[in-house]
Amino acid sequence: MIKDLAKKKGLTIRKLPLWEAKFDEQALRKKADTLTLRHFDKGFRQKPISDTERMFPSFMDCVRYGITIEQALPEKERVFIAVGVDLSTPKRPGNVIFTLGVGANSRRVPLDIRKGNWTSPQVAQQLAEVDAHYKPHVIVVENNAYQESIIQWIQALPEQYDFWVKVVSFTTGKQKWADESGLPSLESEFSVGGWVIPFPERHIPDCDCAWCAWVNEMRTYTKLYGVGDTVMACWFAREAVRLYGGTEPVEETIRVPSEIDELSDVFDMVGLEVDEFGEII
């Protein structure tokens, strides 16, 4: 209609934007430097993640809305509790503490997820709070270079942080992609209903709480583009269950010595062997 009216009056329609361009080429390149390729493609190139790319396509089948953590796994039925910790690095700020409970039927239920850009003392305080509230049997922390320092720092202050004897180093290597024990094995557990992920109520779409951050990262994680602090912390917690949990009473399964100096000392407790590089044989 407008085109016909302009044609009758001999006018030329010029398409002008109502506001100045926000994302020119330079701005887009700058944005691309701060995001993974997959997230940039999704947000700025309209290329969504396909189901075939998702590493955890069955994850959302385990989410249960309308139930509480206590309903999913009552405190008296928690036979093993593990904590996975993904610490920040100078190039990647942000820390995640993931607490995972296991019932007698081996079903996994997240009990607590914390995420924050904390200092080392604040991380230690967060771990102290988690330990006091949930009484975990083991706390697994990735020990890549910078992250090893906080492990040593916590263990050097036993009077202040009495949970230090539970802290175990975990080295991430090629086993991250192993079908039996790596990230792909999480999907195997999700696909058979091995997890229950309780949400007492639905959160708003743009909620930035730690639980929603985990759900979003799990939904969009791919092997090629996947980057997720919460995903790694979740995997560390599950690995703690796999390595140190068992069907026997926890007191008989985990025997923590008065001091832990080497990673091999911890593996000796559960009958595992490690090579000179700290890898499980």
Side-chain angles (χ1 to χ4, degrees):
M1 179 178 178
I2 295 178
K3 289 183 178 179
D4 293 338
L5 181 61
K7 187 176 181 180
K8 289 180 180 180
K9 293 183 175 293
L11 301 175
T12 301
I13 297 177
R14 296 177 60 191
K15 297 180 179 180
L16 298 175
L18 298 179
W19 50 83
E20 296 182 3
K22 181 178 180 180
F23 291 105
D24 55 16
E25 181 177 352
Q26 182 178 1
L28 286 172
R29 290 185 180 277
K30 185 176 181 181
K31 196 70 177 177
D33 290 338
T34 65
L35 299 173
T36 65
L37 178 59
R38 169 48 64 197
H39 285 84
F40 180 76
D41 281 348
K42 181 181 179 182
F44 295 90
R45 301 182 68 190
Q46 300 302 302
K47 292 185 177 181
I49 299 173
S50 67
D51 288 340
T52 57
E53 289 181 297
R54 300 179 194 275
M55 179 163 283
F56 313 113
S58 305
F59 172 78
M60 291 304 295
D61 295 337
C62 299
V63 175
R64 298 288 185 271
Y65 291 105
I67 68 171
T68 65
I69 293 172
E70 181 64 20
Q71 290 172 325
L73 183 60
E75 185 174 356
K76 62 181 180 180
E77 297 180 12
R78 299 170 189 175
V79 300
F80 193 83
I81 298 176
V83 174
V85 184
D86 186 53
L87 296 173
S88 65
T89 67
K91 294 183 178 180
R92 182 180 54 78
N95 308 272
V96 179
I97 301 174
F98 193 105
T99 305
L100 182 64
V102 182
N105 58 359
S106 296
R107 182 161 292 170
R108 290 87 157 91
V109 177
L111 303 178
D112 188 277
I113 306 174
R114 304 184 181 204
K115 191 174 190 294
N117 189 18
W118 306 310
T119 63
S120 293
Q122 289 172 331
V123 170
Q125 181 58 40
Q126 290 287 336
L127 286 173
E129 292 177 6
V130 168
D131 179 68
H133 187 78
Y134 296 100
K135 302 294 189 297
H137 302 93
V138 63
I139 301 172
V140 171
V141 183
E142 187 177 22
N143 68 333
N144 290 346
Y146 172 82
Q147 296 153 330
E148 176 68 13
S149 62
I150 192 171
I151 299 174
Q152 297 175 353
W153 182 61
I154 291 174
Q155 292 180 341
L157 300 170
E159 297 84 6
Q160 185 173 354
Y161 303 110
D162 56 4
F163 62 86
W164 74 272
V165 294
K166 304 177 183 180
V167 177
V168 177
S169 301
F170 182 84
T171 301
T172 303
K174 59 184 178 181
Q175 85 277 19
K176 176 180 178 181
W177 305 114
D179 291 336
E180 309 81 19
S181 59
L183 290 175
S185 65
L186 287 174
E187 169 57 22
S188 299
E189 296 178 357
F190 297 146
S191 65
V192 296
W195 287 59
V196 173
I197 302 166
F199 270 81
E201 57 186 22
R202 293 180 181 272
H203 295 198
I204 59 176
D206 58 346
C207 177
D208 60 355
C209 76
W211 284 79
C212 287
W214 178 53
V215 169
N216 290 332
E217 289 182 2
M218 294 295 288
R219 290 177 59 196
T220 59
Y221 199 92
T222 69
K223 184 171 182 179
L224 185 59
Y225 302 106
V227 175
D229 301 334
T230 62
V231 174
M232 295 303 292
C234 166
W235 177 50
F236 296 155
R238 200 294 308 272
E239 279 297 89
V241 172
R242 187 180 68 85
L243 290 173
Y244 309 119
T247 56
E248 299 179 28
V250 172
E251 291 78 6
E252 299 178 15
T253 305
I254 301 297
R255 295 182 178 86
V256 182
S258 58
E259 294 185 3
I260 297 178
D261 296 323
E262 301 292 341
L263 185 60
S264 58
D265 291 338
V266 180
F267 287 137
D268 287 342
M269 291 188 292
V270 292
L272 297 175
E273 296 181 5
V274 295
D275 59 23
E276 58 182 309
F277 300 104
E279 297 289 338
I280 301 174
I281 300 176

